[in-house]
Amino acid sequence: MSTYADRGPKSLRGTTHVAEKLEKTIEAGDYYHALQMYKTLYARYTAQNKQNELRQTLLRGASLLLAAGEVNAGTELALLFVDNLSKAKEYPKQEYISALLEVFRHYKADNDPAKRQFIQAACKWSATPENNKQGDVALHTAFAANYHAAKEYELAQKHYLRGSDTAGFAKMVQEWAIDSIEVREDHLICRVVLLYLCFSDLKSANSFFLHAKAALQQSTPLLSFAEFLLQTVERDALPLFQLLREKFDIYLSQDPSFDSYLDHIAYVFYGVKKVDSNSGFGGMINNLLKSFME
């Protein structure tokens, strides 16, 4: 299957003299000059308004440099591609998402600052009203898997929450609990369920919980609470929701953030507002939820 970077009469796969020269420069390990040549082509195509050639050039250059281990140089070209899409007000249609995913697969599973910069730019560009300004689901799913492989659990969680791989998310939570002496698996599972519900994503919350629960040998009070909560918010049952909070308060109080999450869930599903005396309703919780999205 051809990719976006392979398209057109001036495909950058050695079919032109310039492309051949660029690839030979990279093969020779002269990455600095290769980057400068790609940027020169970028400037030329920009001046000539040759958008197709420009994008092909940036994608091919980014992929080759990243594959060679030149993360900063490759990211520079990848960011130029995203910036071009943003300035052209290109909608995040499938061909562009596929192109970004093709570039991203060349990044290693680590927490490199350049990679984080690319991820942030891609998410920002792909944010639309259709995805609640959260960014493309396929991108988040790929980003989550990459951070998961690097055992960067906090970062992976942020993208799993906006991706589609609830089974992978459940597996990561299990690994997170094994690798950490500070958190328990039932606590992590309950927190993820609460976060999904804060974002009004009941479908993903249920899917995640089923996958997570299947890997456990026994239940706990927090897991029971999460299960009852999922059943409760599916119905117009505010009194039952409030009773559930009271019954499990001793367990929920182990994490101060749970109370804030539940206040927000009460608003999302039942329209109950709780005023924050410092910054008005939602001030604290919105800041907390925003931290999971950045």
Side-chain angles (χ1 to χ4, degrees):
M1 181 185 295
S2 64
T3 64
Y4 182 86
D6 300 323
R7 289 176 162 193
K10 293 189 177 181
S11 169
L12 296 175
R13 299 195 71 177
T15 59
T16 66
H17 173 70
V18 174
E20 291 177 352
K21 185 175 181 180
L22 281 166
E23 294 194 17
K24 287 181 179 179
T25 302
I26 291 177
E27 290 174 2
D30 192 354
Y31 305 122
Y32 174 80
H33 284 100
L35 176 61
Q36 300 311 309
M37 291 167 69
Y38 275 114
K39 290 167 69 174
T40 297
L41 280 176
Y42 164 74
R44 181 186 305 168
Y45 289 143
T46 298
Q48 297 172 347
N49 197 29
K50 293 184 176 181
Q51 295 298 315
N52 196 47
E53 290 87 345
L54 180 154
R55 291 169 184 168
Q56 291 170 25
T57 298
L58 294 176
L59 288 172
R60 185 62 176 164
S63 293
L64 288 172
L65 287 167
L66 287 170
E70 293 298 304
V71 179
N72 290 332
T75 300
E76 186 172 350
L77 296 183
L79 290 174
L80 286 174
F81 176 77
V82 177
D83 183 63
N84 173 266
L85 294 177
S86 298
K87 289 180 177 177
K89 300 187 184 303
E90 293 283 7
Y91 190 82
K93 53 188 178 180
Q94 187 57 48
E95 63 178 309
Y96 299 137
I97 298 299
S98 296
L100 290 173
L101 289 173
E102 175 64 20
V103 169
F104 185 71
R105 75 179 184 86
H106 295 290
Y107 281 100
K108 295 180 180 179
D110 56 21
N111 189 16
D112 190 285
K115 182 177 74 176
R116 293 187 68 175
Q117 192 176 7
F118 169 76
I119 287 174
Q120 290 170 355
C123 290
K124 182 178 180 180
W125 164 76
S126 68
T128 66
E130 287 76 12
N131 55 46
N132 294 318
K133 295 291 184 179
Q134 296 301 324
D136 182 78
V137 171
L139 290 177
H140 283 300
T141 301
F143 300 156
N146 184 283
Y147 280 134
H148 179 175
K151 295 185 179 296
E152 293 287 348
Y153 299 128
E154 291 281 2
L155 292 172
Q157 176 177 243
K158 295 181 180 183
H159 295 289
Y160 271 126
L161 283 167
R162 291 174 285 178
S164 60
D165 187 8
T166 54
F169 198 177
K171 186 174 185 295
M172 187 205 78
V173 164
Q174 184 180 32
E175 295 173 13
W176 192 351
I178 292 173
D179 291 346
S180 175
I181 60 174
E182 299 177 354
V183 292
R184 300 191 320 273
E185 188 170 2
D186 63 339
H187 175 271
L188 291 172
I189 291 172
C190 187
R191 184 175 69 177
V192 171
V193 168
L194 293 178
L195 285 168
Y196 270 131
L197 294 180
C198 281
F199 299 125
S200 193
D201 191 351
L202 179 58
K203 180 180 178 181
S204 294
N206 274 308
S207 177
F208 166 82
F209 186 74
L210 287 175
H211 287 298
K213 185 180 178 183
L216 296 174
Q217 296 182 346
Q218 61 182 14
S219 185
T220 69
L222 279 179
L223 293 176
S224 295
F225 171 78
E227 187 168 17
F228 291 146
L229 178 64
L230 288 170
Q231 296 170 4
T232 301
V233 296
E234 289 183 347
R235 299 183 291 169
D236 184 14
L238 177 58
L240 181 57
F241 174 83
Q242 294 170 330
L243 179 62
L244 195 61
R245 292 185 67 172
E246 292 176 9
K247 292 292 185 181
F248 285 87
D249 181 66
I250 188 173
Y251 305 106
L252 296 172
S253 62
Q254 296 172 16
D255 186 333
S257 67
F258 282 3
D259 196 46
S260 297
Y261 292 154
L262 286 163
D263 284 343
H264 192 69
I265 291 168
Y267 171 68
V268 170
F269 287 91
Y270 301 112
V272 177
K273 292 186 177 182
K274 183 173 182 179
V275 177
D276 181 339
S277 60
N278 294 321
S279 55
F281 173 70
M284 181 180 71
I285 185 64
N286 285 338
N287 289 334
L288 191 59
L289 294 177
K290 184 179 178 181
S291 71
F292 276 94
M293 298 293 100
E294 293 176 343

